[in-house]
Amino acid sequence: MTYPKTTKKPVVDSFFGTPVVDNYRWLEDDQSLETEDWVKAQNEVTFNYLNKIPYRAQLKERLSELWNFEKIGAPFIEGDYTYFYKNNGLQNQYVIYRKKGDGEEEEIFLDPNTFSDDATTSLGVLSFSKDGKTAAYTISEAGSDWRKIIVMDAISKTIKEDTLVDVKFSGISWYKNEGFYYSSYNKPKGSELSAKTDQHKLYYHQLGTSQKEDTIIFGKKPSEKHRYVSGEVSEDNNYLYITARISTSGNKLFIKDLSKPNSPLITVLDHTESDTYPIENAGSKIYVVTDLNAPNKKVVTVDVANPTPENWIDFIPETEHVLQLNSGAGYFFATYMMDAVSKVFQYDFDGKLIREVKLPGVGSAEGFEGKKEAKAVYFSFTNYNTPSSSYKLNPKTGTYTSYWKPAIAFNSKAYESKQIFYTSKDGTKIPMMITHKKGIKLHGKNPTILYGYGGFNVSLKPAFSITNEVWMEQGGIYAVPNLRGGGEYGKQWHDAGTQMKKQNVFDDFIAAAEYLIAEKYTSSAYLAIRGGSNGGLLVGATMTQRPDLIKVALPAVGVLDMLRYHTFTAGAGWAYDYGTAHDSKEMFHYLKGYSPVHNVKKGVQYPATLITTADHDDRVVPAHSFKFVAELQAKQSGDHPTLIRIETNAGHGAGTPVAKTIELYADIFGFTLFNMGFKQLPNPLEKK
């Protein structure tokens, strides 16, 4: 491979007396023409390579074929209308429809496909006033986390007032029909895509006024410096719940009594040692979900007059399994993860267990939420070989009926998914789901993708994916371990993969690969590893620590420079999981010891690598990926390709048009199979 020249312009940083050379700091400047030219040159080399893969077009065609089925979301009622999301198959963005009454024909309420010519402007939050007559929604342009809020008359579908701008990491929570709460940062100096943003504020916007008149509710004082602040109004309009976070884990909690003018903030928690949030109220009685002294979470009740922890009363106690709580139709639905598989129990507002909701199978259930006065709640169910379907549950009887099932050209009965447990380096048992066609032979030559995340308390639950089905159609195996750092077994499991214990996550992933090889599912010559964001770090660390173990590495939008990640956008908020290089000498050396950018060694043959990122990713800035590929291209030994695919007018992933997503996966799967030695598809696709 002949790669574009990446000039070294050394910058030397000193950490606790240790000099660290950064040869490619200049690639962090996303506003420079030099970086822009470098991106174009890299993409030219990458797409020249991808264009030569003989079955790339076949994969794209099959992905499009499987993707092309109607998808309908669960309905929700606002005012006199029932709304729902729908995609006719290959539309780039979901369209919001509505109908009035049972007999009336549905009409388009909002079509995000019309927001921009190339469908790269997407819809984020959609929220209605209490009477359903006004709607506010966020849009993202080119995938950026910076959003705009548009306010419209929901009846006539006309824009009501000027657009709110420079909004980031925000919900929209209405107070009656008068206005709404939202969150944002001051616009940073320099690049809005990479400059640091670390003081989040909660605002109130009164309808009919300009944005410059919006009131700062929380975050104005320097002593209130928090990176993530949100506000949620209770369904009865009596209370505003404010959560304030310094990092992605742990929050302070405040309540404001909206029924009393100019009421002060009531402090519930003044520290960030737990994740705690109200979910419902019955008068002044607040129902709160917390992991304070309950790593697997529990539900407590407290009166708003004395809401601090010493007054909490257990409502749904902690169990050995991790709790997720939802409410709707006047009930609570407690979903427990049992080895990453869902079990659901229904409670009333007095804490009485009504029933276990028997799910359609073994897999993941989501939903079970809505307004108190709703007559039904909806939930979805899926696993790795069952496409997601939705169900309508009658909470009075516990019975449910099928609401929507996908008409997809996929035979789920031809596939199997099983959970195994393997042993990591330190003896910890780790669960892993392995999915593939029935009847495959374990001869060590099956193309396999090992996918992982392992961080930020995120749980990887069984879920169907069109893209994975195309992979498995080719005889491919798809394996997902539930690594430490995730949330599958609660706070302790999460903490066991953070900061000075982060190596546990990589060890768990490496042990998963070794298990698949030892059991002859695959071998190093047919093994690819993949992950995105924090999972991109996982792939980068694994491939630099064990380049011999795998054939293909697929790090996506990864956090790859662990010494500088906290200097970009909201990156400092990830310190709970990572720590920072400025915390201590020990933390600096630990981070430098696994930071992918700093551990590429000259003369090593690394796996065939396709790094994927996007030019408008302001969550994990693309400079991480730019610097990593520059190091790899400069030091790679042997002839394995080291490429970077940089999507234009796209961000961290949310809102990416379907067409771009299909192209991306055709490239990923094509690159993977091609570098495993397949000159044609392992299972040639027959024309239907």
Side-chain angles (χ1 to χ4, degrees):
M1 296 289 298
T2 302
Y3 300 110
K5 183 180 179 182
T6 308
T7 305
K8 290 183 180 180
K9 300 179 182 179
V11 176
V12 180
D13 296 313
S14 180
F15 296 87
F16 302 97
T18 301
V20 177
V21 178
D22 186 344
N23 285 314
Y24 306 110
R25 179 75 54 86
W26 63 272
L27 286 170
E28 294 178 4
D29 185 355
D30 54 56
Q31 295 181 310
S32 82
L33 290 176
E34 190 177 12
T35 303
E36 185 180 333
D37 289 342
W38 180 90
V39 166
K40 289 176 181 175
Q42 289 286 348
N43 266 345
E44 185 176 353
V45 169
T46 297
F47 284 102
N48 282 342
Y49 181 92
L50 295 171
N51 286 334
K52 293 173 183 174
I53 296 173
Y55 38 78
R56 181 178 174 223
Q58 285 177 272
L59 287 169
K60 181 179 175 182
E61 183 180 349
R62 180 55 176 157
L63 281 160
S64 299
E65 183 182 22
L66 262 187
W67 212 295
N68 193 12
F69 64 94
E70 187 179 65
K71 306 161 191 74
I72 299 176
F76 54 98
I77 296 172
E78 300 291 350
D80 296 331
Y81 291 91
T82 298
Y83 294 82
F84 57 96
Y85 287 72
K86 184 167 75 170
N87 190 306
N88 65 16
L90 293 174
Q91 286 176 291
N92 281 309
Q93 308 287 348
Y94 274 73
V95 179
I96 296 89
Y97 288 81
R98 72 178 180 187
K99 61 179 181 177
K100 195 173 184 179
D102 292 332
E104 188 170 305
E105 283 198 20
E106 62 191 43
E107 64 172 351
I108 292 175
F109 174 67
L110 205 56
D111 184 358
N113 296 289
T114 65
F115 289 176
S116 60
D117 292 339
D118 59 359
T120 58
T121 299
S122 60
L123 176 70
V125 177
L126 170 62
S127 181
F128 289 83
S129 59
K130 301 297 181 177
D131 61 7
K133 293 181 179 179
T134 311
Y137 60 92
T138 63
I139 61 169
S140 166
E141 295 166 309
S144 171
D145 280 334
W146 288 102
R147 306 291 164 94
K148 294 176 180 176
I149 297 179
I150 297 170
V151 181
M152 67 187 294
D153 183 310
I155 309 304
S156 64
K157 298 187 286 188
T158 55
I159 304 301
K160 287 190 73 162
E161 56 182 58
D162 291 342
T163 297
L164 279 65
V165 298
D166 299 338
V167 176
K168 189 172 184 180
F169 295 157
S170 179
I172 298 174
S173 189
W174 283 86
Y175 174 63
K176 298 183 178 178
N177 309 307
E178 300 171 10
F180 53 82
Y181 295 88
Y182 69 96
S183 309
S184 196
Y185 306 89
N186 292 335
K187 205 69 176 283
K189 295 175 182 176
S191 170
E192 68 176 54
L193 294 176
S194 58
K196 193 171 185 176
T197 49
D198 67 353
Q199 183 160 2
H200 216 203
K201 299 174 184 178
L202 179 67
Y203 294 85
Y204 178 70
H205 176 73
Q206 182 77 29
L207 287 186
T209 64
S210 67
Q211 186 178 6
K212 65 183 179 184
E213 297 175 69
D214 291 352
T215 307
I216 298 178
I217 303 299
F218 187 92
K220 187 174 184 179
K221 302 174 187 174
S223 59
E224 290 178 346
K225 192 169 184 178
H226 299 92
R227 296 189 178 96
Y228 312 104
V229 175
S230 66
E232 185 76 26
V233 179
S234 61
E235 193 173 330
D236 61 10
N237 290 296
N238 284 338
Y239 302 108
L240 171 67
Y241 310 127
I242 300 174
T243 58
R245 299 176 179 272
I246 297 167
S247 191
T248 48
S249 288
N251 66 275
K252 298 175 185 177
L253 177 61
F254 307 89
I255 297 177
K256 184 177 176 65
D257 188 339
L258 298 178
S259 67
K260 299 174 182 175
N262 304 313
S263 63
L265 283 185
I266 303 166
T267 300
V268 182
L269 284 174
D270 62 359
H271 60 75
T272 58
E273 294 166 14
S274 70
D275 287 295
T276 300
Y277 57 92
I279 191 165
E280 272 289 3
N281 73 295
S284 63
K285 182 181 181 180
I286 310 292
Y287 297 82
V288 178
V289 182
T290 184
D291 62 8
L292 184 65
N293 301 318
N296 290 339
K297 293 186 181 176
K298 65 179 179 179
V299 185
V300 299
T301 60
V302 70
D303 193 277
V304 73
N306 297 289
T308 48
E310 64 269 20
N311 301 305
W312 292 358
I313 300 169
D314 279 5
F315 179 73
I316 300 177
E318 182 191 23
T319 72
E320 62 180 314
H321 302 292
V322 182
L323 167 69
Q324 175 187 322
L325 192 73
N326 297 99
S327 67
Y331 293 93
F332 292 107
F333 295 88
T335 301
Y336 291 94
M337 273 188 296
M338 301 183 180
D339 296 327
V341 172
S342 297
K343 293 272 189 181
V344 181
F345 299 88
Q346 180 182 346
Y347 292 84
D348 66 18
F349 269 52
D350 294 322
K352 179 186 175 184
L353 174 63
I354 304 299
R355 62 177 61 87
E356 178 182 354
V357 180
K358 297 290 187 182
L359 298 174
V362 177
S364 303
E366 301 284 349
F368 301 102
E369 57 188 348
K371 296 175 181 176
K372 278 184 185 175
E373 66 270 20
K375 303 299 183 191
V377 294
Y378 295 81
F379 69 93
S380 63
F381 177 82
T382 182
N383 56 36
Y384 285 115
N385 61 329
T386 303
S388 182
S389 301
S390 57
Y391 299 84
K392 180 180 181 180
L393 171 71
N394 181 334
K396 299 289 187 188
T397 64
T399 58
Y400 57 82
T401 55
S402 175
Y403 175 73
W404 174 79
K405 283 185 181 290
I408 184 172
F410 170 75
N411 179 16
S412 61
K413 293 180 180 178
Y415 295 81
E416 62 179 312
S417 188
K418 67 178 180 179
Q419 186 178 59
I420 62 91
F421 289 80
Y422 66 92
T423 305
S424 191
K425 183 178 180 179
D426 64 357
T428 302
K429 293 290 185 184
I430 311 292
M432 176 162 61
M433 298 291 287
I434 305 173
T435 311
H436 52 73
K437 272 185 176 178
K438 290 179 179 176
I440 67 164
K441 294 178 181 177
L442 302 185
H443 48 41
K445 294 185 178 179
N446 299 301
T448 298
I449 289 179
L450 177 64
Y451 179 88
Y453 189 79
F456 294 90
N457 204 35
V458 171
S459 300
L460 296 186
K461 305 172 189 176
F464 178 84
S465 160
I466 295 166
T467 54
N468 293 338
E469 303 320 314
V470 171
W471 174 256
M472 292 189 296
E473 275 187 338
Q474 298 309 306
I477 292 172
Y478 186 70
V480 183
N482 296 112
L483 312 171
R484 281 175 284 185
E488 291 86 354
Y489 295 104
K491 187 172 177 59
Q492 292 171 341
W493 192 255
H494 174 208
D495 288 349
T498 60
Q499 297 194 27
M500 302 284 275
K501 297 176 183 176
K502 188 66 179 175
Q503 184 60 40
N504 285 339
V505 186
F506 313 140
D507 289 342
D508 292 353
F509 202 52
I510 290 166
E514 291 173 335
Y515 174 90
L516 293 169
I517 292 168
E519 297 297 317
K520 297 195 179 302
Y521 283 96
T522 191
S523 59
S524 292
Y526 295 94
L527 178 60
I529 57 173
R530 184 165 179 270
S533 198
N534 173 72
L537 164 62
L538 173 68
V539 172
T542 301
M543 66 180 283
T544 50
Q545 291 181 16
R546 288 294 306 276
D548 59 304
L549 189 60
I550 52 180
K551 186 68 175 181
V552 178
L554 303 163
V557 293
V559 187
L560 298 162
D561 183 343
M562 298 310 296
L563 302 187
R564 286 182 55 75
Y565 78 87
H566 59 292
T567 65
F568 305 113
T569 61
W574 312 334
Y576 182 94
D577 266 58
Y578 298 146
T580 78
H582 298 292
D583 289 347
S584 67
K585 186 175 182 179
E586 292 74 20
M587 194 74 247
F588 154 66
H589 282 293
Y590 192 87
L591 288 166
K592 187 173 181 292
Y594 74 77
S595 175
V597 165
H598 299 92
N599 282 279
V600 181
K601 296 177 175 62
K602 197 165 183 68
V604 174
Q605 176 157 291
Y606 290 99
T609 303
L610 180 62
I611 299 167
T612 52
T613 187
D615 64 350
H616 279 67
D617 188 345
D618 47 4
R619 186 90 51 87
V620 180
V621 295
H624 285 277
S625 296
F626 295 173
K627 292 163 77 170
F628 188 48
V629 81
E631 291 285 352
L632 284 167
Q633 290 178 350
K635 296 174 180 175
Q636 170 76 290
S637 172
D639 56 2
H640 291 164
T642 302
L643 302 173
I644 184 167
R645 184 189 188 280
I646 306 156
E647 190 67 77
T648 55
N649 284 329
H652 199 59
T656 301
V658 165
K660 282 182 180 283
T661 302
I662 288 173
E663 289 171 358
L664 172 65
Y665 278 95
D667 289 345
I668 288 171
F669 293 155
F671 179 88
T672 300
L673 291 169
F674 194 64
N675 280 283
M676 290 175 176
F678 293 97
K679 303 301 181 189
Q680 61 181 29
L681 288 176
N683 180 29
L685 299 168
E686 297 179 5
K687 291 283 185 184
K688 292 285 187 291

